[in-house]
Amino acid sequence: MSIIETEATLHEAHRDNHTHRDVNGGWLRPAVFGAMDGLVSNLALMTGVAGGAVSQQTVVIAGLAGLAAGAFSMAAGEYTSVASQRELVQAELDVERRELRKHPVDEMEELAALYVARGVQPALAREVAMQLSKDPEQALEIHAREELGIDPDDLPSPLVAAVSSFGSFALGALLPVLPYLLGASTMWPAVMLALLGLFACGALVAKVTARSWWFSGVRQLALGGTAAALTYGLGTLIGTAV
């Protein structure tokens, strides 16, 4: 085999074996964890209420109230959190923008020093920094990434975060309530559907982790089931006491 053919084979093998998981989780991670949060919290709420030997209507009302309250709370919390983070980032970008306008040479030297600290030769680092600093917007983007670790063109949207959190939480919280809405008269169908949902959510989490789907599914099933059992026991104790 020739050297060229060998290099081509190595490059092909490198491409085949050099793919990485999405370590940020993309949209899947927040969606799955939002649904899981809604599922666990509402299942625990409903089992806790059911443990108090209340009527079926009370359990359903508690489930629907938990769904609405949790979803709106998640949406409001996510909106406030992401909006505050975005405002902080914008403020820092404004500071960097002013510095680039007032002290362009100092900012260029600062960028060159960052590259030198990463092992680039001083002369080459200064040349790269000089080239990148010619365009003010490009310079702002580079400084933001190097100094703040952010991408100015990829800031999170508070509205998108709020809507997605509301939807995913509500979807998860709906599962324990659904059997009642379809005519179930006992808690067991709701518990079984919720546990199945917990396993499915855990299996989906495996898409962004190194764990196997069955391990993640069983782990989440155990955690959610334990939370439901504990709140049921607590509800029983409180119901007996009052």
Side-chain angles (χ1 to χ4, degrees), residues 1-209:
M1 182 181 292
S2 67
I3 295 178
I4 295 178
E5 290 174 337
T6 302
E7 290 180 348
T9 302
L10 290 174
H11 293 166
E12 187 65 33
H14 179 73
R15 284 193 294 271
D16 291 342
N17 294 284
H18 202 67
T19 57
H20 296 283
R21 292 181 177 88
D22 180 3
V23 295
N24 293 319
W27 62 269
L28 180 62
R29 184 184 179 92
V32 171
F33 278 98
M36 196 180 297
D37 188 16
L39 181 51
V40 172
S41 61
N42 216 31
L43 174 62
L45 172 64
M46 292 176 66
T47 53
V49 172
V54 299
S55 66
Q56 174 187 334
Q57 184 181 20
T58 302
V59 176
V60 174
I61 292 174
L64 292 174
L67 186 158
F72 280 115
S73 176
M74 284 286 291
E78 280 296 309
Y79 185 91
T80 302
S81 175
V82 174
S84 299
Q85 179 187 7
R86 188 183 179 96
E87 290 163 2
L88 175 61
V89 170
Q90 292 287 8
E92 291 300 313
L93 288 175
D94 288 340
V95 170
E96 193 64 37
R97 190 176 286 108
R98 287 195 300 270
E99 289 301 310
L100 285 168
R101 186 174 62 252
K102 293 180 179 179
H103 309 288
V105 176
D106 291 339
E107 289 296 309
M108 184 190 70
E109 293 294 342
E110 185 179 273
L111 186 59
L114 286 173
Y115 292 141
V116 170
R118 294 184 179 183
V120 180
Q121 292 295 325
L124 179 58
R126 197 169 190 281
E127 179 64 25
V128 171
M130 186 180 302
Q131 291 293 327
L132 294 175
S133 299
K134 288 182 178 180
D135 182 353
E137 287 305 312
Q138 178 177 258
L140 176 63
E141 181 179 337
I142 296 297
H143 278 272
R145 288 179 175 176
E146 294 292 340
E147 297 178 30
L148 304 177
I150 59 173
D151 184 352
D153 298 325
D154 191 28
L155 299 181
S157 167
L159 183 59
V160 171
V163 171
S164 60
S165 295
F166 181 95
S168 60
F169 185 96
L171 181 62
L174 178 63
L175 282 183
V177 187
L178 191 58
Y180 282 105
L181 299 180
L182 296 177
S185 57
T186 64
M187 190 69 192
W188 284 112
V191 171
M192 296 305 295
L193 181 60
L195 293 179
L196 182 61
L198 284 170
F199 182 86
C201 284
L204 281 175
V205 170
K207 292 288 186 181
V208 291
T209 67

Side-chain angles (χ1 to χ4, degrees), residues 198-199 202 205 209 211 214-225:
L198 284 170
F199 182 86
V205 170
T209 67
R211 292 289 188 179
W214 63 266
F215 177 88
S216 296
V218 170
R219 179 175 59 183
Q220 192 55 43
L221 176 63
L223 292 173

